[in-house]
Amino acid sequence: MNLDVPTINGACKFEQKITDAPAAVSVVTADEIRKYGYRTLADALRSVRGFYVSYDRNYHYLGLRGFSRPGDFNSRVLMLIDGHRINDNLYETAAIGTEFPLDIDLIDRIEIIRGPSSSLYGTSAFFGVINIITRQGKDMKGAEVALSAGSQQTYGGRLSYGTKSPGGLETLISGTTYQSEGKKNLYYSAYDSPATHNGIAENGDRDRSYSFFAKTALRDFTLSTAYVNRDKEIPTGSYGVVFNDDRNRSLDAHGYVDLKYSTRLDRQDELTARIYLDDYRYRGDYVFEGANPGDPPVVNRDRADGQWVGGELLYTGHLWQRHLITFGTEGRYNIRQDQQNYNDGDSAYNLDDSRNSHSYAFYMQDEFHLRPSLIANIGVRHDEYSNFGGTTNPRLALIYKPQEKSIFKLLYGCAFRAPNVYELYYGDNGVSQKPNPDLKPETIRTYEIAYEQYIGEHLRSSLGGFFYRLRDLITQATDPADGLLVFRNSGRVQAKGIETEIEGKWSNGVQGRLGYTLQRVVDDITDETLTNSPQHLFKFNVIAPIIVKKIFAGIDLQYTGRRKTRSGQEEGGYVVANLTLYGQRLFHNVDLSASLYNLTNTKYADPVAGEFRQEVIEQDGRLFQFKLLGRF
């Protein structure tokens, strides 16, 4: 089509237009990230249709298609950076907050592929895949310095350099630092008594992180490395710790090295191979009351260490002109999957569990062009795990284009999520949680229809419906026999929903999108709505030039409907509006931006998991940020 149709890599592991992708796809560009003032990946994702984000003042949790179980650590969405899997080997976490290993300014685009993708990616590609494509060194063309300051004594800085030499060596290297004092006083009515500081947590919301990213490319080879270290104080009193003690904190560190080789065997065929090494570390400090009245508090140390190595071999090529075939194999060996829990001063551990495991997979996909207007996409993958055996998951898509600007997609897919090491084996000797080594994978079957219509040269509309059934759901519950938290395969989920969106982009700099999602996600046995599952989601985003090609206003409006808490109560819906003024190259090579978040100072709260005394955690009111970017 003679239209500006974005291309993506994440849907089929090769470059294609989103109109040919066997999924409903959204793309967030670097230009949108700047002009909407997004601070983190969580900010960018919460603006996309069908997505919502919860925050318990330690981690951000992603909701998609009405599903976000408090306490699941984002393990049902696969996160990739340039095709490298970010989900760790202990919790399978897809990090989206300040613990995400990449500065958001280094993102070229965010590819959001909805629906199950285990046919290509295996575990965690349950509700969708998010593939982050990083910027190229040749596009940076020198050094960049970014400085930011905002509410709650929040400061950030980034120094980056990118270039491409005449010999073809391309390099990007970047370092980022971030610190925030957080909200000085946080009030929680569940702790409102003189013994617990009248429910006020003082100076216990600090967040600090630093990260590093480098990418070097020469001919067919690309070497990437990333590292993030994030230290967050926890002010909420979770797990029954001593309230208002600033020693309650968590630390997350994740780094990886990825070497990729990709070459075209001829004009149409491509061979890709990659090997990688990842290392993940978690440290949690939790302060509990002493065993007897008058005893000093006890510091509980929660520790987890993961290390894994893996590789992938992928071939894509044409067969008999009408078939685009993909064959691949992937393997991962988990060198370390260690969990520990102990109290300072005790000789015995509450938990000392060390494991290793491995998995491997084979997959294939055929993009069959039945007619010029009709594509069938068929894929299947088999995964084999050392701890629970094998699983096979298919995907089928029919893509019909009766006219140049009209696209219909019929989609079906199966996916699985393997129980992670934390869910299987974590227990702290009766303090708060116990293990369940008998967990089995949860599975999902999704049926979907999507209609996309391009209107003129500037508008694109989409309308879609989805239905899915989830079996053997792994969920956190409290065992009434002992009051301990435990993960169980505890039932079935059924969901149906409708999503619609219209987006536009014009040459004068105006662009925007308007989206609405109506969904209902219920327990398939009781027909009760799931916790933290809004029925209505509304998104409105617009970028408008104030001075053409110089100053832009970015408005981001989000409505999230009512959500049920774990006791069955309802937390009311809310509207949040964000405003950014962005000045592009105002002073030669300097950009300036000013952002207001939660412009109307809306009061709202997010449902949280069973380790909290509170059922909901109140979110921040109005915040601001100023940012300067200089190029040299």
Side-chain angles (χ1 to χ4, degrees), residues 1 49 52 79 89 93 105 116 133 142 261 269 303 329 395 397 420 436 596-597:
M1 292 186 295
R49 80 171 189 270
Y52 59 105
M79 184 71 66
N89 73 339
T93 299
D105 287 345
I133 305 299
Y261 172 78
D269 298 355
R303 304 289 184 255
T329 181
R395 178 172 69 179
N420 59 54
N436 183 4
L596 282 174
Y597 307 97

Side-chain angles (χ1 to χ4, degrees), residues 156-354:
R158 174 177 62 88
L159 177 61
S160 306
Y161 179 77
T163 187
K164 184 174 183 179
S165 69
L169 179 65
E170 186 172 3
T171 302
L172 187 153
I173 184 168
S174 181
T176 299
T177 182
Y178 169 87
Q179 64 177 28
S180 175
E181 292 302 305
K183 195 168 183 179
K184 184 176 180 180
N185 293 318
L186 290 161
Y187 172 71
Y188 300 109
S189 60
Y191 289 93
D192 194 351
S193 73
T196 50
H197 206 249
N198 297 314
I200 300 173
E202 292 183 324
N203 301 317
D205 193 32
R206 296 181 183 90
D207 190 354
R208 289 172 171 79
S209 68
Y210 60 88
S211 61
F212 171 82
F213 178 75
K215 180 169 67 172
T216 301
L218 179 63
R219 298 184 181 91
D220 296 329
F221 290 92
T222 302
L223 178 66
S224 301
T225 183
Y227 177 78
V228 63
N229 186 296
R230 183 250 199 173
D231 186 355
K232 178 66 175 69
E233 294 183 359
I234 307 171
T236 52
S238 55
Y239 296 103
V241 299
V242 174
F243 186 74
N244 194 39
D245 192 314
D246 61 9
R247 291 175 292 176
N248 294 311
R249 64 196 319 115
S250 64
L251 181 145
D252 295 87
H254 186 180
Y256 70 83
V257 178
D258 184 293
L259 177 62
K260 176 183 174 183
Y261 172 78
S262 183
T263 186
R264 288 201 173 274
L265 303 177
D266 57 32
R267 189 169 58 89
Q268 295 181 321
D269 298 355
E270 186 172 5
L271 178 68
T272 301
R274 76 185 328 138
I275 56 174
Y276 57 85
L277 172 67
D278 282 69
D279 188 271
Y280 173 76
R281 184 174 75 253
Y282 163 76
R283 300 288 182 265
D285 293 344
Y286 301 95
V287 183
F288 291 91
E289 297 285 0
N292 301 303
D295 288 351
V298 174
V299 179
N300 178 262
R301 310 287 187 184
D302 206 34
R303 304 289 184 255
D305 293 277
Q307 191 174 74
W308 60 102
V309 62
E312 182 177 16
L313 184 64
L314 169 67
Y315 168 79
T316 300
H318 286 78
L319 183 66
W320 302 314
Q321 296 184 338
R322 299 170 71 182
H323 296 265
L324 181 58
I325 303 293
T326 298
F327 294 101
T329 181
E330 184 177 1
R332 184 168 84 169
Y333 177 67
N334 295 300
I335 303 168
R336 297 183 65 189
Q337 294 174 299
D338 300 347
Q339 299 181 94
Q340 293 180 334
N341 185 280
Y342 61 92
N343 295 331
D344 277 356
D346 287 358
S347 58
Y349 282 78
N350 298 320
L351 171 69
D352 188 8
D353 187 79
S354 296

Side-chain angles (χ1 to χ4, degrees), residues 52 60 94 121 143 148 153 248 279 296 354 361 415 422 452 494 523 536 556 606 622:
Y52 59 105
H60 290 80
Y121 292 103
S148 63
Q153 299 182 56
N248 294 311
D279 188 271
S354 296
Y422 172 71
E452 300 173 8
Q494 179 176 294
D523 185 297
H536 303 279
D556 180 15
D606 289 332
R622 187 184 299 112

Side-chain angles (χ1 to χ4, degrees), residues 124 148 153 166 188 206 214 221 232 320 352 355 374 407 414 430 445 452 482 509 512 554 573 575 577 588 590 595 604:
S124 296
S148 63
Q153 299 182 56
Y188 300 109
R206 296 181 183 90
F221 290 92
K232 178 66 175 69
W320 302 314
D352 188 8
R355 299 181 182 272
L374 183 62
I407 303 98
C414 297
R445 291 177 181 234
E452 300 173 8
D482 51 25
V575 176
H588 187 51
V590 175
S595 301
Y604 67 102

Side-chain angles (χ1 to χ4, degrees), residues 328-475:
T329 181
E330 184 177 1
R332 184 168 84 169
Y333 177 67
N334 295 300
I335 303 168
R336 297 183 65 189
Q337 294 174 299
D338 300 347
Q339 299 181 94
Q340 293 180 334
N341 185 280
Y342 61 92
N343 295 331
D344 277 356
D346 287 358
S347 58
Y349 282 78
N350 298 320
L351 171 69
D352 188 8
D353 187 79
S354 296
R355 299 181 182 272
N356 57 63
S357 62
H358 66 269
S359 63
Y360 60 89
F362 302 94
Y363 58 89
M364 67 169 293
Q365 177 182 263
D366 181 12
E367 184 181 276
F368 181 19
H369 292 253
L370 297 165
R371 300 171 54 189
S373 61
L374 183 62
I375 301 172
N377 190 295
I378 305 169
V380 64
R381 171 169 165 147
H382 179 80
D383 288 80
E384 196 73 26
Y385 280 76
S386 61
N387 54 356
F388 71 81
T391 176
T392 302
N393 294 272
R395 178 172 69 179
L396 172 64
L398 288 175
I399 303 168
Y400 177 52
K401 303 176 185 177
Q403 298 177 357
E404 182 187 38
K405 297 182 180 182
S406 303
I407 303 98
F408 292 90
K409 298 180 181 182
L410 290 174
L411 310 169
Y412 167 78
C414 297
F416 77 101
R417 185 179 76 88
N420 59 54
V421 171
Y422 172 71
E423 294 165 337
L424 286 164
Y425 305 117
Y426 187 88
D428 50 14
N429 198 26
V431 176
S432 63
Q433 190 167 322
K434 62 182 180 181
N436 183 4
D438 297 324
L439 287 173
K440 56 185 179 180
E442 57 187 21
T443 60
I444 190 172
R445 291 177 181 234
T446 299
Y447 305 84
E448 187 173 354
I449 184 170
Y451 165 54
E452 300 173 8
Q453 180 68 51
Y454 287 79
I455 306 167
E457 297 180 359
H458 305 292
L459 292 174
R460 171 181 176 265
S461 65
S462 63
L463 175 66
F466 62 85
F467 174 84
Y468 65 79
R469 289 184 184 272
L470 196 162
R471 305 283 182 174
D472 298 318
L473 172 66
I474 300 173
T475 188

